[in-house]
Structures are given as C-alpha cells and as structure tokens.
Amino acid sequence: MLRLDDIISSNIECIFSNGHALSALTKFYDKDSLNDINNLIKYEDVYASKWNNNEYDIDIKRRKEAELLINDDVPLHLICGYIVYNDKAKNILKSLGITDNMIHVAPQYYF
C-alpha cells in the first residue's frame, strides 16, 4: 500500500488511467493530475465486488481496471503496508522479513 500524498510529494514518476489501458474510452493523466484523482476515478466501480456491465451501465468493467502506474521501483520508505489474498502469501512476506503489522489479509479484494 502507498499513500497518495506520499506519491504526490515524492519525485516518483507515474501516470494513471480512468479505466483499462486498451480501451479507446480510457484517459491517461500525469502526476500533476493526482490532486484531482477523486474526481477522475469512479471508486465505487474500482472497489465493486460485482462489476459486469449491465443494461444500465455498459462501462463498469473498463472503469474497474483504472490503474496507477509507477516508473521504476517504489522506494521502500513509501510502502506503508501489504495486502495479500491469504495466509500463505502473508507467510511468504513474513519469511522475507516483513513484520506482521505491515501485512493485511483480504481475500475479498480483487487482484
């Protein structure tokens, strides 16, 4: 996990999209637009557990796949935690020296 404020204030190069990168409907934004990300991304779609397109909205699936893309490596001091799917993944991180309080198991998340 990264804090958006940390990315904004750092020298990390990044871009983000409001949907799946291959769609012609998707728009890309540079780091200068991160301050406005809450108005550019539909978080209810990104975090939705059911996200198939339907007769009322044929664009949910594309919007769910909004991305933040970071160039190169993320400095370790900016990582505030890790979200993993299960305890097996958690144990792998722990074997790499990551402390228990930095790892959150969330099987309901989509990866």
Side-chain angles (χ1 to χ4, degrees):
M1 294 182 292
L2 300 171
R3 290 184 183 94
L4 189 58
D5 289 342
D6 291 341
I7 295 171
I8 291 170
S9 64
S10 74
N11 61 355
I12 291 176
E13 294 180 37
C14 64
I15 61 170
F16 67 98
S17 70
N18 68 350
H20 192 283
L22 294 179
S23 172
L25 298 173
T26 296
K27 294 181 180 164
F28 290 87
Y29 305 91
D30 62 18
K31 184 177 178 177
D32 294 335
S33 298
L34 279 175
N35 286 315
D36 200 32
I37 195 169
N38 292 332
N39 298 317
L40 301 171
I41 303 294
K42 286 191 73 177
Y43 286 103
E44 61 269 21
D45 294 336
V46 172
Y47 291 110
S49 59
K50 294 184 180 182
W51 48 278
N52 291 329
N53 295 334
N54 59 56
E55 63 186 88
Y56 305 106
D57 189 344
I58 60 170
D59 195 32
I60 295 171
K61 193 171 184 178
R62 180 194 67 82
R63 292 191 313 262
K64 172 126 178 106
E65 298 184 70
E67 297 179 284
L68 172 66
L69 304 169
I70 295 176
N71 191 36
D72 294 325
D73 296 327
V74 175
L76 287 178
H77 72 276
L78 292 183
I79 298 173
C80 59
Y82 302 86
I83 301 173
V84 296
Y85 184 74
N86 58 27
D87 285 325
K88 180 179 179 183
K90 180 178 181 175
N91 290 332
I92 291 170
L93 290 180
K94 287 173 67 175
S95 74
L96 296 172
I98 297 167
T99 58
D100 197 58
N101 65 325
M102 294 279 291
I103 308 167
H104 177 72
V105 177
Q108 73 277 14
Y109 283 15
Y110 171 79
F111 294 96

